[in-house]
Amino acid sequence: MANAKLICALLLCILVTAPMLNIEASIPCHTVKVDLAACLSYFLKGGIPPPSCCKGVQNVNNAARTTKDRRDTCNCLKTTAKQYHIVNFRFAAALPRFCKVNIRSPISASIDCSRIK
């Protein structure tokens, strides 16, 4: 019985103090790539992005809550675009407008991700 009370007390302490911890979780690059995979044909050819692409853009935008998240997402996208040569940045820059998603920084091949707020 004493062990159950101790466990309950520890769980209560964790629940009370958890919101006070300032932990900045980062969005894994793999998650960003998966969310934006439906945009691949749009990145290559332009046109109108499919709804699944816009949903992915919304998911990434919603997940990038902290400055670190936004910088990590930016670096992930830049690295992936350079690695695979699959992104026409003119099309990518228009994606938020098509998807009606307000992002905090412009989309550009020359963006300095470390300057994103």
Side-chain angles (χ1 to χ4, degrees), residues 13 27 34-35 52 77 110 117:
C13 287
I27 304 167
V34 168
D35 280 340
S52 56
L77 294 172
S110 61
K117 301 281 186 218

Side-chain angles (χ1 to χ4, degrees), residues 29-30 33 40 44 74-87 89 109:
C29 189
H30 174 76
K33 290 178 188 179
L40 184 58
L44 292 169
C74 175
N75 284 315
C76 170
L77 294 172
K78 279 186 71 172
T79 301
T80 302
K82 286 179 185 175
Q83 183 179 9
Y84 297 106
H85 307 286
I86 57 173
V87 174
F89 279 93

